[in-house]
Amino acid sequence: MTRWMLALVMLIVAMPARAAPGDVVGRWAVRSHGHVVMILALDRDRSGWHGTWWRPLHFQSDDSWRILSHVAGPIVARPLAAASVDGDGLRLDFAGAEPNARDSMVLRAMPDGTARLRWVGGPDAPLVLDRATPDERPIVPDPAALYPVDQHWPTSAEMTALFDADQADRIAGARTDWTMVLPHDRARRARTKALLDADMLHSADDFFHAAYVYQHGEAPDDFLLAHALAMVAIARGRADADWLASATLDRYLQRIGQKQVFGTQFQMPPAQPATQEPYDRSLVSDALRRALSVPDLAEQAKQRERWDAEYRAARK
């Protein structure tokens, strides 16, 4: 055997087998409001990968895989037919309902302990899974119900700290020294923008906190971005971001010279009573205000009186 052939054989022997993806062995659950909708179980031994997918017989979703609908039929067990490494994930081929049919998907373990399951040839949006205990089983589905998929978004500790600092700067209320707060606000917005651009914000809390930071901006675009961030916070589970979504829209409208419509914005002109003007009180009803956690017109009048009293006391 020539030297180059011997070296080639030694190289082939020395090369490790293609690395397996992250720790995907075990039981994974797709959950809705904490209830298990599907279970994916995977194991590996010397003979290869083994697994079972317990799922409702029928279900549908849009391209976002955020909500499962038409979830019906008994829970069926689909055996794993084949598995192979696919980049940093594991491609799984499960037996389908028809002979020779396959459901093909790629499972990726995430650093936060969850996993993402994406259909091959389908939309890029994945199903989100977390670890399941050995005794957990899928619930019996209700065909008339919708099943929003629990997302398990990780929360940024840095974004939480930025929000906490934003709130701490305003704890003095009417006695706040805005000449000190303004440069802090600008630095917080700059850092929040960097986190957004780096795709470091994911959870409902992240977007809620970022919306508050931008709500305390200076330019119309700051408030418009804050409104968009508040809507993402709502979409990801922070129902209490409804007031913030209303307030950011009001602040944007006033900053571009239009009338606010919800009544969340109060101004304190020097030596004058508190005002909400410009304000179109007729476009939005009190019922809609209350639906978005905004006080009605009568309560807003009381708020103006409280602001007047607080600022008069602060100026003494």
Side-chain angles (χ1 to χ4, degrees):
M1 183 180 294
T2 65
R3 289 184 178 180
W4 71 267
M5 290 183 65
L6 179 60
L8 178 60
V9 170
M10 292 176 66
L11 177 63
I12 293 173
V13 171
M15 287 178 61
R18 189 177 181 187
D23 183 18
V24 296
V25 171
R27 291 167 59 84
W28 297 94
V30 176
R31 301 179 192 271
S32 178
H33 298 300
H35 300 293
V36 176
V37 181
M38 304 180 195
I39 289 281
L40 178 59
L42 291 173
D43 194 11
R44 190 183 189 187
D45 58 23
R46 292 184 178 181
S47 65
W49 287 93
H50 311 278
T52 304
W53 179 25
W54 285 277
R55 45 156 288 181
L57 182 61
H58 302 288
F59 65 88
Q60 296 179 13
S61 176
D62 62 9
D63 286 349
S64 71
W65 285 106
R66 297 287 298 279
I67 298 178
L68 302 180
S69 62
H70 300 88
V71 183
I75 300 299
V76 296
R78 300 283 192 232
L80 181 65
S84 58
V85 175
D86 186 318
D88 59 350
L90 183 69
R91 174 172 172 144
L92 305 170
D93 295 310
F94 287 96
E98 304 295 331
N100 301 319
R102 296 284 180 93
D103 284 311
S104 299
M105 56 204 74
V106 175
L107 182 70
R108 293 177 59 233
M110 307 302 290
D112 62 3
T114 64
R116 303 292 186 269
L117 189 68
R118 181 180 58 81
W119 262 253
V120 174
D124 289 336
L127 265 174
V128 179
L129 305 89
D130 69 349
R131 292 287 185 179
T133 62
D135 59 337
E136 285 188 297
R137 297 291 184 272
I139 61 173
V140 177
D142 177 359
L146 295 176
Y147 292 88
V149 177
D150 295 348
Q151 297 298 313
H152 309 287
W153 299 111
T155 293
S156 165
E158 183 176 1
M159 191 65 245
T160 300
L162 289 168
F163 169 75
D164 290 342
D166 172 277
Q167 298 298 291
D169 267 352
R170 288 162 168 79
I171 198 169
R175 299 182 185 277
T176 299
D177 183 353
W178 297 108
T179 62
M180 296 291 293
V181 173
L182 182 59
H184 296 171
D185 282 345
R186 290 171 177 168
R188 283 188 287 264
R189 287 198 303 278
R191 184 54 190 160
T192 299
K193 182 64 161 55
L195 293 173
L196 281 166
D197 290 347
D199 194 25
M200 297 296 290
L201 305 184
H202 303 287
S203 72
D205 286 347
D206 285 344
F207 288 99
F208 182 82
H209 295 156
Y212 253 106
V213 168
Y214 268 93
Q215 162 78 342
H216 296 145
E218 299 171 80
D221 281 355
D222 292 336
F223 310 130
L224 191 57
L225 178 56
H227 180 67
L229 293 167
M231 291 193 296
V232 177
I234 294 170
R236 297 200 170 180
R238 281 292 300 245
D240 60 342
D242 53 357
W243 178 89
L244 185 56
S246 306
T248 50
L249 181 58
D250 271 351
R251 190 163 292 191
Y252 171 73
L253 289 170
Q254 284 195 334
R255 188 52 62 94
I256 63 173
Q258 301 297 312
K259 299 176 181 179
Q260 68 170 320
V261 296
F262 293 105
T264 61
Q265 303 303 298
F266 295 78
Q267 305 295 329
M268 294 299 302
Q272 295 182 38
T275 180
Q276 293 170 274
E277 304 304 328
Y279 183 8
D280 180 356
R281 292 168 171 79
S282 62
L283 180 64
V284 171
S285 68
D286 274 347
L288 183 53
R289 288 186 180 91
R290 287 190 291 267
L292 292 169
S293 302
V294 176
D296 59 26
L297 292 177
E299 182 58 35
Q300 289 176 21
K302 296 177 182 177
Q303 284 183 317
R304 286 197 307 274
E305 293 176 1
R306 290 194 293 269
W307 275 103
D308 275 335
E310 183 176 346
Y311 272 81
R312 281 196 300 270
R315 288 194 292 264
K316 290 180 179 180

